[in-house]
Amino acid sequence: EMTVLFSDIRGFTNISETLSANELKDLLNRYFTPMTEIIFDQSGTIDKYVGDMIMAFWGAPLDDPQQKEHAVMAAILMQRRLKLLREEFAKEGYPQVHAGVGLNTGMMNVGDMGSSYRRAYTVLGDSVNLGSRLESITKFYGATCLVSETTKQGLEDKFLFRETDYIIVKGKKEPIRVYEPLETRDAATDDMMRAVDDYHIARAAYLARKWGEAQSLFSNL
């Protein structure tokens, strides 16, 4: 059992069209370095960089009993650092950089994989694919990070989560609950916690098909 993280820069194609090759390389290097540092500090392993994508995992090569907590903490710290990066980039005329993060925990195959010419230490499996799918739908939900129920389980006392939806993602047959980790419990403000409580009340009304009540509650939010 391992936890996988996928992170992509939103609108990267549009960003790349506005920069020269050297500017784009500079922007990516300055983005990847602090993001990687955060993942390493949280005991993660970088799998690969593909264009603007970061893929990382927890639970191998060394076992990590706190892999889920480390992964969610990494996602929150990445967003905090990205906010500071946007301020730095704005001063230099670079475009705004936003990124989505997807996390999933489950059974995965890990090891050296590839061809007889080149191999890489990586993870494979359905649980890995789900992590990628969750990252791909962050923009649709206006979320910076989405995690599966298996990743969220047991972390409720450490992080503030918002239940985002109950969906069937591409390539899956069974529906899953998807959550957005908003902040650590220690750092979450009273207003933020009240807003999340009110959101869940409004969502419950929506799921009960109490349309007028749900619309009123969501409008107040």
Side-chain angles (χ1 to χ4, degrees), residues 1 39 41 45 51 60-61 64 72 81 87 89 95 103 114 123 128 142 148 163 165-166 170 195 212 217:
E1 184 177 77
I39 291 169
D41 286 346
T45 298
D64 183 1
V72 175
R81 187 66 182 89
E87 295 174 2
F89 288 161
L103 291 171
V123 287
V128 179
S148 65
E163 182 177 341
D165 212 344
Y166 186 52
K170 184 179 179 182
L217 289 168

Side-chain angles (χ1 to χ4, degrees), residues 30-121:
R30 290 168 62 186
Y31 165 76
F32 282 141
T33 298
M35 300 300 116
T36 301
E37 182 180 12
I38 289 168
I39 291 169
F40 283 168
D41 286 346
Q42 294 299 317
S43 305
T45 298
I46 294 291
D47 185 306
K48 60 176 71 76
Y49 307 114
V50 180
D52 61 307
M53 185 198 79
I54 301 173
M55 180 181 173
F57 53 79
W58 283 258
L62 299 177
D63 186 37
D64 183 1
Q66 296 177 287
Q67 57 174 285
K68 297 195 292 186
E69 180 180 349
H70 288 151
V72 175
M73 191 70 227
I76 288 175
L77 292 175
M78 287 167 72
Q79 293 298 337
R80 289 181 185 172
R81 187 66 182 89
L82 194 53
K83 183 178 180 181
L84 296 177
L85 268 181
R86 283 195 291 270
E87 295 174 2
E88 293 176 21
F89 288 161
K91 293 176 183 177
E92 300 175 37
Y94 279 168
Q96 291 287 293
V97 174
H98 297 268
V101 178
L103 291 171
N104 183 45
T105 303
M107 300 304 293
M108 303 173 194
N109 193 314
V110 59
D112 289 327
M113 303 175 198
S115 68
S116 58
Y117 297 96
R118 186 174 187 274
R119 291 176 178 268
Y121 188 71

Side-chain angles (χ1 to χ4, degrees), residues 96-152:
Q96 291 287 293
V97 174
H98 297 268
V101 178
L103 291 171
N104 183 45
T105 303
M107 300 304 293
M108 303 173 194
N109 193 314
V110 59
D112 289 327
M113 303 175 198
S115 68
S116 58
Y117 297 96
R118 186 174 187 274
R119 291 176 178 268
Y121 188 71
T122 188
V123 287
L124 292 174
D126 188 52
S127 294
V128 179
N129 298 337
L130 179 55
S132 177
R133 296 284 186 268
L134 292 178
E135 187 283 320
S136 68
I137 61 174
T138 54
K139 187 175 181 180
F140 177 81
Y141 288 103
T144 57
C145 176
L146 289 177
V147 307
S148 65
E149 192 163 15
T150 53
T151 299
K152 168 187 171 287

Side-chain angles (χ1 to χ4, degrees), residues 161-187:
F161 291 95
R162 175 177 76 96
E163 182 177 341
T164 307
D165 212 344
Y166 186 52
I167 59 172
I168 297 178
V169 298
K170 184 179 179 182
K172 298 281 287 184
K173 294 182 179 179
E174 296 298 321
I176 61 167
R177 296 191 186 279
V178 179
Y179 300 85
E180 180 183 14
L182 299 171
E183 186 54 272
T184 61
R185 285 281 181 181
D186 292 341

Side-chain angles (χ1 to χ4, degrees), residues 9 11-31 89 92-97:
I9 294 177
F12 182 70
T13 301
N14 293 334
I15 290 175
S16 62
E17 289 175 349
T18 64
L19 301 175
S20 69
N22 284 334
E23 288 173 333
L24 188 62
K25 180 181 72 173
D26 178 57
L27 183 145
L28 281 177
N29 287 343
R30 290 168 62 186
Y31 165 76
F89 288 161
E92 300 175 37
Y94 279 168
Q96 291 287 293
V97 174

